Amino acid sequence: FRRVLFRSPVPAPKLTGRLLALFAAASFCSASAMHFQSPMLNAMAQDFGVDAAAAGWIATLTFGGYLLGMFTIVPLGDRFDKRAIVIGQLAGLIVSTLVLALAPNLYVAAAASVVLGASACLTQSVIPVVVELAPVSGRGRLVGTLLSALFLGILFGRLAGGFIAAHYGWRWTYVVSEVLMISVIGPLAWVHPRMPAKTTLGYGALLRSVGELLRQNAELRRIATIQFCLGVCYGGFWGTIAPMLAQLHRLGPAEAGMIGIPGAAGTLVARPAGRWMDRRGPYPVVITGVALVAAAFMVLEFAAWSVGVVVLGAILLDCGIRASIVANQTQITSVAVDARSRVNTVFGASIWSGNSLGAFIASTALAYAGWTTACTLALGAALLALVVQWRSRAKRRGS
């Protein structure tokens, strides 16, 4: 009795440097695993004896699985121990990449791709943990660090996937991914603190509450609208970059893929944007980010002049998108502190649905009206996001 009465209290979990590094490594691994396939779909098609259109289902189902995971797995972080969700998703990635490495046919690879995509939204489960453990004054910088790892993972996946597939075969890409994730899951399971549940809602009620949060919270709707508009811009550019370069500059897919290198410039601004957000708040960071996206499409209107114009536009676009994501994702986790996983679901879904719609609109515009029209539509989406963000400051001043 005396030991129970006078024992020292259990210290609150803290975000140590080691834990942050493991979170960053897990985010890097999940992003790269999802994007390895982009440059090697043709190699997979040849190996499985199918055409390119059939192999395209692997990419489609991977991204569909990601959205599925956003809606069905990420919200569970509010209902159960977040540690179990994070480790479970990492385990799902390990299993799915192993199946892909050994897949005997397209059907098995496609099924594994759904599981991989659903597990790859790992970062959206990790960010609420980081925000909950981090001091308020440093949340922007820490979220920026995590997102930098995510962006680097995307770039690594696109570049390494093509290199490994070309020299050793596409299956070895997933073997490398497997080794990376196995090296992370053990240490992460050891140091990840247990996180108490924030709600006792049943699973169905938990999922329905996501819509309720969006309906009841104007700030959440505003951030989701901005990210949806920026998603339209991002998806529109990357969904049409290859056919545009082929039409205007007679360049092939290899050259189009190389645009991803300067286009990853946003990785360098993620941490500085987080620091700026910690010092000045999200408003100036988001305004600047959205303005950069608008400027990118003003530049890209002149893509026919030179490939250098396309490179400049890609740099501006990625810097603007990444700065806005860091600021808005840090801000959104404070909208409902007991529902951080669910508001992250709204955030991620707004980006991905914008990406999908943007790719459809831009590709249709490019086919029927040309590149200038595609850029003008994307510019309109960026300007709408700018107006929504500007009005938020005006409303606060008027209240």
Side-chain angles (χ1 to χ4, degrees), residues 70-83:
M70 284 295 308
F71 283 109
T72 62
I73 298 176
V74 174
L76 292 175
D78 292 330
R79 178 62 181 84
F80 299 103
D81 183 354
K82 290 182 175 65
R83 177 180 180 274

PDB file of all heavy atoms in Angstrom, residues 70-83:
ATOM      1  N   MET A  70      -6.814   6.257 -45.408  1.00  0.00           N
ATOM      2  CA  MET A  70      -7.089   7.555 -44.805  1.00  0.00           C
ATOM      3  C   MET A  70      -8.437   7.559 -44.105  1.00  0.00           C
ATOM      4  O   MET A  70      -8.582   8.122 -43.017  1.00  0.00           O
ATOM      5  CB  MET A  70      -7.074   8.640 -45.884  1.00  0.00           C
ATOM      6  CG  MET A  70      -5.695   9.053 -46.362  1.00  0.00           C
ATOM      7  SD  MET A  70      -4.684   9.837 -45.096  1.00  0.00           S
ATOM      8  CE  MET A  70      -5.775  11.105 -44.512  1.00  0.00           C
ATOM      9  N   PHE A  71      -9.435   6.942 -44.721  1.00  0.00           N
ATOM     10  CA  PHE A  71     -10.796   6.985 -44.179  1.00  0.00           C
ATOM     11  C   PHE A  71     -11.070   5.889 -43.144  1.00  0.00           C
ATOM     12  O   PHE A  71     -11.935   6.067 -42.286  1.00  0.00           O
ATOM     13  CB  PHE A  71     -11.811   6.871 -45.315  1.00  0.00           C
ATOM     14  CG  PHE A  71     -11.977   8.138 -46.095  1.00  0.00           C
ATOM     15  CD1 PHE A  71     -11.501   8.226 -47.396  1.00  0.00           C
ATOM     16  CD2 PHE A  71     -12.591   9.248 -45.539  1.00  0.00           C
ATOM     17  CE1 PHE A  71     -11.640   9.395 -48.122  1.00  0.00           C
ATOM     18  CE2 PHE A  71     -12.741  10.420 -46.256  1.00  0.00           C
ATOM     19  CZ  PHE A  71     -12.268  10.504 -47.550  1.00  0.00           C
ATOM     20  N   THR A  72     -10.361   4.765 -43.225  1.00  0.00           N
ATOM     21  CA  THR A  72     -10.712   3.624 -42.363  1.00  0.00           C
ATOM     22  C   THR A  72      -9.684   3.297 -41.283  1.00  0.00           C
ATOM     23  O   THR A  72     -10.026   2.645 -40.300  1.00  0.00           O
ATOM     24  CB  THR A  72     -10.930   2.362 -43.216  1.00  0.00           C
ATOM     25  OG1 THR A  72      -9.707   2.032 -43.903  1.00  0.00           O
ATOM     26  CG2 THR A  72     -12.041   2.571 -44.231  1.00  0.00           C
ATOM     27  N   ILE A  73      -8.422   3.720 -41.463  1.00  0.00           N
ATOM     28  CA  ILE A  73      -7.376   3.385 -40.496  1.00  0.00           C
ATOM     29  C   ILE A  73      -6.940   4.588 -39.669  1.00  0.00           C
ATOM     30  O   ILE A  73      -6.868   4.510 -38.435  1.00  0.00           O
ATOM     31  CB  ILE A  73      -6.152   2.773 -41.208  1.00  0.00           C
ATOM     32  CG1 ILE A  73      -6.534   1.463 -41.909  1.00  0.00           C
ATOM     33  CG2 ILE A  73      -5.021   2.528 -40.217  1.00  0.00           C
ATOM     34  CD1 ILE A  73      -5.422   0.838 -42.716  1.00  0.00           C
ATOM     35  N   VAL A  74      -6.655   5.707 -40.323  1.00  0.00           N
ATOM     36  CA  VAL A  74      -6.138   6.880 -39.604  1.00  0.00           C
ATOM     37  C   VAL A  74      -7.066   7.329 -38.469  1.00  0.00           C
ATOM     38  O   VAL A  74      -6.587   7.640 -37.371  1.00  0.00           O
ATOM     39  CB  VAL A  74      -5.855   8.036 -40.590  1.00  0.00           C
ATOM     40  CG1 VAL A  74      -5.471   9.302 -39.836  1.00  0.00           C
ATOM     41  CG2 VAL A  74      -4.726   7.645 -41.545  1.00  0.00           C
ATOM     42  N   PRO A  75      -8.407   7.360 -38.660  1.00  0.00           N
ATOM     43  CA  PRO A  75      -9.269   7.783 -37.535  1.00  0.00           C
ATOM     44  C   PRO A  75      -9.157   6.902 -36.295  1.00  0.00           C
ATOM     45  O   PRO A  75      -9.483   7.341 -35.187  1.00  0.00           O
ATOM     46  CB  PRO A  75     -10.685   7.691 -38.133  1.00  0.00           C
ATOM     47  CG  PRO A  75     -10.495   7.835 -39.602  1.00  0.00           C
ATOM     48  CD  PRO A  75      -9.188   7.146 -39.880  1.00  0.00           C
ATOM     49  N   LEU A  76      -8.695   5.670 -36.465  1.00  0.00           N
ATOM     50  CA  LEU A  76      -8.577   4.762 -35.323  1.00  0.00           C
ATOM     51  C   LEU A  76      -7.576   5.263 -34.287  1.00  0.00           C
ATOM     52  O   LEU A  76      -7.594   4.820 -33.140  1.00  0.00           O
ATOM     53  CB  LEU A  76      -8.166   3.369 -35.798  1.00  0.00           C
ATOM     54  CG  LEU A  76      -9.197   2.594 -36.625  1.00  0.00           C
ATOM     55  CD1 LEU A  76      -8.598   1.290 -37.126  1.00  0.00           C
ATOM     56  CD2 LEU A  76     -10.454   2.330 -35.819  1.00  0.00           C
ATOM     57  N   GLY A  77      -6.706   6.190 -34.671  1.00  0.00           N
ATOM     58  CA  GLY A  77      -5.756   6.747 -33.725  1.00  0.00           C
ATOM     59  C   GLY A  77      -6.406   7.489 -32.573  1.00  0.00           C
ATOM     60  O   GLY A  77      -5.792   7.668 -31.514  1.00  0.00           O
ATOM     61  N   ASP A  78      -7.668   7.938 -32.771  1.00  0.00           N
ATOM     62  CA  ASP A  78      -8.400   8.576 -31.670  1.00  0.00           C
ATOM     63  C   ASP A  78      -9.098   7.555 -30.773  1.00  0.00           C
ATOM     64  O   ASP A  78      -9.426   7.848 -29.630  1.00  0.00           O
ATOM     65  CB  ASP A  78      -9.447   9.553 -32.226  1.00  0.00           C
ATOM     66  CG  ASP A  78      -8.822  10.759 -32.904  1.00  0.00           C
ATOM     67  OD1 ASP A  78      -7.715  11.154 -32.484  1.00  0.00           O
ATOM     68  OD2 ASP A  78      -9.429  11.302 -33.844  1.00  0.00           O
ATOM     69  N   ARG A  79      -9.331   6.362 -31.296  1.00  0.00           N
ATOM     70  CA  ARG A  79     -10.099   5.351 -30.566  1.00  0.00           C
ATOM     71  C   ARG A  79      -9.214   4.349 -29.828  1.00  0.00           C
ATOM     72  O   ARG A  79      -9.593   3.819 -28.793  1.00  0.00           O
ATOM     73  CB  ARG A  79     -11.008   4.601 -31.560  1.00  0.00           C
ATOM     74  CG  ARG A  79     -11.834   3.479 -30.942  1.00  0.00           C
ATOM     75  CD  ARG A  79     -12.787   4.014 -29.890  1.00  0.00           C
ATOM     76  NE  ARG A  79     -13.567   2.935 -29.268  1.00  0.00           N
ATOM     77  CZ  ARG A  79     -13.135   2.195 -28.262  1.00  0.00           C
ATOM     78  NH1 ARG A  79     -11.900   2.378 -27.762  1.00  0.00           N
ATOM     79  NH2 ARG A  79     -13.903   1.261 -27.739  1.00  0.00           N
ATOM     80  N   PHE A  80      -8.024   4.103 -30.363  1.00  0.00           N
ATOM     81  CA  PHE A  80      -7.127   3.120 -29.776  1.00  0.00           C
ATOM     82  C   PHE A  80      -5.751   3.732 -29.528  1.00  0.00           C
ATOM     83  O   PHE A  80      -5.487   4.868 -29.902  1.00  0.00           O
ATOM     84  CB  PHE A  80      -7.006   1.898 -30.695  1.00  0.00           C
ATOM     85  CG  PHE A  80      -8.299   1.188 -30.944  1.00  0.00           C
ATOM     86  CD1 PHE A  80      -8.982   1.355 -32.142  1.00  0.00           C
ATOM     87  CD2 PHE A  80      -8.843   0.357 -29.985  1.00  0.00           C
ATOM     88  CE1 PHE A  80     -10.184   0.708 -32.373  1.00  0.00           C
ATOM     89  CE2 PHE A  80     -10.045  -0.296 -30.204  1.00  0.00           C
ATOM     90  CZ  PHE A  80     -10.719  -0.121 -31.404  1.00  0.00           C
ATOM     91  N   ASP A  81      -4.905   2.976 -28.912  1.00  0.00           N
ATOM     92  CA  ASP A  81      -3.525   3.395 -28.674  1.00  0.00           C
ATOM     93  C   ASP A  81      -2.847   3.686 -30.016  1.00  0.00           C
ATOM     94  O   ASP A  81      -2.764   2.825 -30.893  1.00  0.00           O
ATOM     95  CB  ASP A  81      -2.788   2.262 -27.947  1.00  0.00           C
ATOM     96  CG  ASP A  81      -1.359   2.614 -27.571  1.00  0.00           C
ATOM     97  OD1 ASP A  81      -0.883   3.696 -27.961  1.00  0.00           O
ATOM     98  OD2 ASP A  81      -0.719   1.799 -26.878  1.00  0.00           O
ATOM     99  N   LYS A  82      -2.364   4.910 -30.188  1.00  0.00           N
ATOM    100  CA  LYS A  82      -1.737   5.295 -31.461  1.00  0.00           C
ATOM    101  C   LYS A  82      -0.509   4.442 -31.771  1.00  0.00           C
ATOM    102  O   LYS A  82      -0.166   4.240 -32.940  1.00  0.00           O
ATOM    103  CB  LYS A  82      -1.358   6.777 -31.432  1.00  0.00           C
ATOM    104  CG  LYS A  82      -2.542   7.729 -31.472  1.00  0.00           C
ATOM    105  CD  LYS A  82      -2.063   9.177 -31.481  1.00  0.00           C
ATOM    106  CE  LYS A  82      -3.224  10.154 -31.637  1.00  0.00           C
ATOM    107  NZ  LYS A  82      -4.146  10.123 -30.491  1.00  0.00           N
ATOM    108  N   ARG A  83       0.159   3.962 -30.738  1.00  0.00           N
ATOM    109  CA  ARG A  83       1.320   3.096 -30.952  1.00  0.00           C
ATOM    110  C   ARG A  83       0.923   1.855 -31.738  1.00  0.00           C
ATOM    111  O   ARG A  83       1.623   1.448 -32.676  1.00  0.00           O
ATOM    112  CB  ARG A  83       1.909   2.701 -29.602  1.00  0.00           C
ATOM    113  CG  ARG A  83       3.085   1.736 -29.673  1.00  0.00           C
ATOM    114  CD  ARG A  83       3.575   1.412 -28.270  1.00  0.00           C
ATOM    115  NE  ARG A  83       4.705   0.493 -28.294  1.00  0.00           N
ATOM    116  CZ  ARG A  83       4.590  -0.832 -28.340  1.00  0.00           C
ATOM    117  NH1 ARG A  83       3.369  -1.394 -28.362  1.00  0.00           N
ATOM    118  NH2 ARG A  83       5.667  -1.600 -28.366  1.00  0.00           N
TER     119      ARG A  83
END
